[in-house]
Amino acid sequence: MGVCDGSSPTVHKLDMRVFREMIAMAIIEHDLPYSFVEYRRIRMALAYANSTIKFWSRNTAAADVLKIFEKEKNKLREILTNVPNRVCLTTDLWRAITIEGYLCLTAHYIDTDWNLKSKILSFTAFPPPHSGIAIAMKLIELLKEWGLEKKVFCLTVDNASANDSMQSIMKRQLEKDLVCNGEFFHVRCSAHILNLIVQDGLDVIGGALQKIRDSVKFVKGSESREIMFANAMETVGMQAKEGLILDVVTRWNSTYHMLSRAIKFKDVLRNLADVEPSYKSFPSDLEWSRGELICEFLRPFSEMTNLISGSSYPTANLYFMQVWKIECWLRVHEYSADETICQMVEIMKLKFDKYWEEYSDILAIAAVFDPRLKFTCLEYCFTTLDSSTSKFRLAHVRSKMYKLFKAYKKRPSINSTSSSQVETLEEDIPAGYSGFYAFFSQKAGSSGKSELDIYLGEPTLDMVAFRHLNVLAYWKENSSRFKELSSMACDVLSIPITTVAAESSFSIGSRVLDKYRSSLIPQNVQALICTRNWLRGFPEEGEEEEEEKEKEKEKEKEEA
């Protein structure tokens, strides 16, 4: 409220349509319940701020969110229609707290400004059976709904058996519209494979690992134990901002973080064991020593997982080198002095060879599209592993790359964008030089070298000088020189090598559909999750954890 002439109060007249849309946006962005608009204290505060507000119900709030969802969906559909290249897909299934199944489909593409984008296309209820054919038919239905059935490049999925049959069915259904008849369509989630490999290794050290896990559980089991742990820290003279963390057993990466944190507090836990008789799970010196070895062993795997799990930058070009590092690491530790480490490596190598005996061709090609790597990197990696087969493996990848490039030279543009780019290029020719440009183009074309030949023939960029090179920026700058090749690079570099985007959406889903909001209908769940993603994108690595930490800090301040 304000005072106009010192006597009569004035009230700002609200545009209720705009105000309701702002509240709907807040519900979407901050995971608020629809009933937020009916909270008595919220209504009292809003009425105090402006008495002209006309309040509405939770059902109207849900309808407002659906309107925003439809509006944003139409915007995204138009963007995807105008994207000059193809889109890559990831999909995964999730079981909500309500036991309903949900299917998430995410599109990954490079926009007209050469920025990598990831957008959820659908987060839809998907009841059993979750068979390969049922998933395939649902995905094709969604692709047709979005008008993308002719623009798909590849599909990244985890190693569930249903996904193998699903991708095979989809490939047959979309074959005539896929590049090279779908030869490069199926991509396995590298993070999921990595998880399977490490979990097999961790089974070998179950005893030592369980002792450390039980120690963390003991401390975090009650407030009084956490106070005792804090007292033990004072006794040993240790100060730390971060405490112990418990892992999620099915996610090895969290096990690594639990181990690394627990090892720092080894002396504190020892002191706690001395003063607290009920704490019986303190590991022996040998078990701590083994835990330290395992932690050091897993560190590179954790770093690789963090690197390849980004969603805002290309990761396809990083894949080959990271998998090579894993194989090298396994070979180095194959004859470790610790017998348990040897057993771990032996089991992990069996799983590694099963999935990565031959690194994915399309992702080896992605490494070549990094101008700092090209075939020189592949040659180095293949030679260091087995010099006797390196030439054959290089020739294999080279033949696949030329086969793919041939498809890009033949294919017509999947929309009209590229033709307008050519017209713009012709208009940019300086006055009086059109004849020379035509002569120059003809000479260049008659050299017998393709764009791929020219690119591969140019020197590899120095890794140190171009350490922070933006690979997409390179191809954007060279798109006028390499028209078909840059289009091919655009599609290949947009391949997601993990399904981390889907897992991130499930994390959001668990907040939207928690035990307090389990009655939300699937239509509203999809509207909330998709619209939030379209407006905010996916959280980057560690962003969600930081948000939770900030909330905890605010809560502590309020309680104080």
Side-chain angles (χ1 to χ4, degrees):
M1 286 190 183
V3 177
C4 184
D5 56 4
S7 57
S8 59
T10 60
V11 177
H12 172 62
K13 178 70 174 175
L14 285 182
D15 183 330
M16 282 302 298
R17 183 183 59 82
V18 174
F19 183 62
R20 273 175 43 185
E21 186 174 289
M22 291 177 72
I23 295 296
M25 293 287 274
I27 289 171
I28 293 165
E29 188 166 335
H30 301 296
D31 302 320
L32 299 173
Y34 291 124
S35 58
F36 169 81
V37 298
E38 296 178 352
Y39 289 173
R40 185 171 67 90
R41 289 289 181 180
I42 293 296
R43 287 191 169 189
M44 286 172 63
L46 292 175
Y48 175 76
N50 194 309
S51 60
T52 67
I53 292 175
K54 296 177 182 177
F55 294 106
W56 60 102
S57 69
R58 68 182 72 189
N59 290 335
T60 303
D64 289 343
V65 168
L66 283 172
K67 285 178 185 176
I68 295 173
F69 166 74
E70 290 297 338
K71 182 174 71 173
E72 295 300 323
K73 184 176 182 179
N74 289 332
K75 283 184 188 177
L76 181 57
R77 184 186 281 111
E78 186 176 353
I79 289 169
L80 291 172
T81 300
N82 293 324
V83 165
N85 289 288
R86 292 179 175 264
V87 299
C88 299
L89 304 170
T90 54
T91 189
D92 208 349
L93 298 174
W94 176 64
R95 177 173 287 182
I97 192 171
T98 55
I99 317 299
E100 290 175 307
Y102 279 84
L103 180 144
C104 179
L105 176 64
T106 308
H108 308 260
Y109 61 95
I110 293 172
D111 66 13
T112 51
D113 292 323
W114 285 82
N115 295 311
L116 182 63
K117 300 290 184 182
S118 298
K119 301 290 182 183
I120 298 175
L121 298 183
S122 180
F123 196 93
T124 183
F126 188 64
H130 295 158
S131 62
I133 189 167
I135 299 170
M137 292 302 101
K138 184 63 178 178
L139 291 176
I140 290 171
E141 176 192 322
L142 292 171
L143 289 175
K144 288 180 178 177
E145 179 188 331
W146 282 88
L148 294 175
E149 67 273 23
K150 297 181 185 298
K151 293 185 71 169
V152 175
F153 183 74
C154 72
L155 175 68
T156 302
V157 289
D158 64 26
N159 293 289
S161 57
N163 284 335
D164 285 339
S165 60
M166 174 270 287
Q167 65 83 24
S168 180
I169 294 165
M170 284 193 71
K171 192 188 296 184
R172 290 197 299 272
Q173 292 290 316
L174 303 173
E175 186 175 11
K176 62 184 177 61
D177 295 311
L178 293 173
V179 178
C180 295
N181 296 321
E183 183 175 339
F184 306 103
F185 175 68
H186 183 205
V187 178
R188 294 185 184 274
C189 172
S190 56
H192 188 257
I193 296 171
L194 195 60
N195 190 48
L196 293 174
I197 291 171
V198 177
Q199 287 291 357
D200 276 8
L202 289 178
D203 285 344
V204 176
I205 56 145
L209 182 60
Q210 191 58 45
K211 280 273 195 82
I212 295 173
R213 183 180 289 125
D214 288 343
S215 295
V216 176
K217 283 181 180 178
F218 177 83
V219 172
K220 298 184 77 66
S222 70
E223 189 177 350
S224 61
R225 291 175 186 173
E226 289 187 344
I227 291 170
M228 284 193 292
F229 183 76
N231 292 336
M233 282 179 63
E234 286 185 21
T235 302
V236 301
M238 181 176 179
Q239 292 182 339
K241 292 181 180 179
E242 298 174 321
L244 296 171
I245 51 174
L246 188 62
D247 67 335
V248 178
V249 180
T250 55
R251 298 183 65 181
W252 77 267
N253 219 19
S254 67
T255 302
Y256 162 75
H257 292 303
M258 179 190 71
L259 273 174
S260 61
R261 192 74 64 84
I263 288 165
K264 291 178 184 177
F265 291 100
K266 179 173 69 173
D267 292 337
V268 179
L269 289 167
R270 190 189 305 278
N271 180 270
L272 183 64
D274 290 339
V275 300
E276 179 49 54
S278 63
Y279 173 33
K280 301 182 184 298
S281 54
F282 181 73
S284 66
D285 288 343
L286 177 62
E287 286 167 334
W288 275 118
S289 175
R290 190 154 286 160
E292 288 169 1
L293 277 170
I294 302 305
C295 189
E296 189 60 33
F297 175 71
L298 293 179
R299 189 187 309 279
F301 289 83
S302 178
E303 291 170 356
M304 291 171 206
T305 300
N306 291 338
L307 182 64
I308 64 177
S309 295
S311 60
S312 62
Y313 56 86
T315 57
N317 55 310
L318 307 174
Y319 168 89
F320 187 87
M321 197 68 165
Q322 299 310 313
V323 176
W324 172 78
K325 284 180 183 178
I326 292 171
E327 184 163 5
C328 290
W329 191 258
L330 289 171
R331 289 191 178 194
V332 166
H333 288 80
E334 197 169 6
Y335 304 103
S336 170
D338 188 288
E339 186 179 340
T340 303
I341 296 288
C342 288
Q343 290 176 9
M344 271 187 73
V345 173
E346 184 180 355
I347 289 175
M348 292 167 77
K349 265 189 106 289
L350 286 173
K351 188 80 63 143
F352 180 93
D353 292 340
K354 176 183 176 182
Y355 288 113
W356 279 329
E357 187 175 4
E358 291 184 7
Y359 302 170
S360 173
D361 293 335
I362 189 64
L363 294 169
I365 290 170
V368 179
F369 273 121
D370 189 325
R372 300 163 298 179
L373 304 178
K374 297 191 179 179
F375 274 101
T376 309
C377 170
L378 269 61
E379 183 180 4
Y380 166 72
C381 293
F382 286 145
T383 303
T384 53
L385 290 173
D386 187 352
S387 58
S388 65
T389 62
S390 60
K391 287 185 178 179
F392 169 78
R393 297 175 79 177
L394 272 174
H396 173 77
V397 176
R398 190 180 291 271
S399 68
K400 293 290 184 181
M401 189 166 192
Y402 273 88
K403 180 179 181 179
L404 184 59
F405 178 62
K406 188 177 180 181
Y408 277 79
K409 286 188 71 177
K410 283 183 176 180
R411 72 170 188 173
S413 174
I414 52 181
N415 61 36
S416 59
T417 308
S418 59
S419 62
S420 64
Q421 288 173 342
V422 172
E423 289 169 12
T424 304
L425 183 64
E426 290 172 353
E427 290 170 4
D428 287 343
I429 300 171
Y433 285 87
S434 57
F436 167 72
Y437 183 80
F439 173 76
F440 167 79
S441 300
Q442 188 178 7
K443 289 283 285 183
S446 62
S447 65
K449 289 188 175 183
S450 68
E451 291 176 6
L452 181 53
D453 292 326
I454 295 168
Y455 168 70
L456 295 176
E458 292 178 349
T460 304
L461 297 185
D462 183 79
M463 180 61 72
V464 176
F466 293 92
R467 182 180 179 184
H468 301 294
L469 175 74
N470 182 325
V471 176
L472 293 183
Y474 170 87
W475 284 103
K476 180 182 180 181
E477 291 165 7
N478 289 275
S479 57
S480 58
R481 283 204 305 142
F482 303 126
K483 294 183 183 65
E484 290 97 351
L485 190 63
S486 65
S487 180
M488 177 176 159
C490 191
D491 289 345
V492 172
L493 291 173
S494 62
I495 296 174
I497 60 174
T498 74
T499 58
V500 70
E503 290 170 14
S504 180
S505 67
F506 299 153
S507 176
I508 298 167
S510 64
R511 296 203 300 271
V512 169
L513 202 62
D514 61 18
K515 61 182 179 180
Y516 302 109
R517 304 170 75 184
S518 58
S519 61
L520 276 179
I521 62 173
Q523 181 187 28
N524 288 338
V525 173
Q526 173 164 259
L528 288 166
I529 291 174
C530 290
T531 312
R532 188 181 195 271
N533 170 256
W534 299 338
L535 295 171
R536 289 190 59 182
F538 287 104
E540 285 302 310
E541 187 75 27
E543 191 175 304
E544 289 183 27
E545 289 84 350
E546 287 301 317
E547 284 183 12
E548 290 301 319
K549 286 178 185 177
E550 287 300 318
K551 287 179 183 176
E552 286 297 323
K553 286 179 183 177
E554 289 175 11
K555 188 177 179 182
E556 287 172 8
K557 287 178 183 177
E558 288 171 5
E559 290 173 351

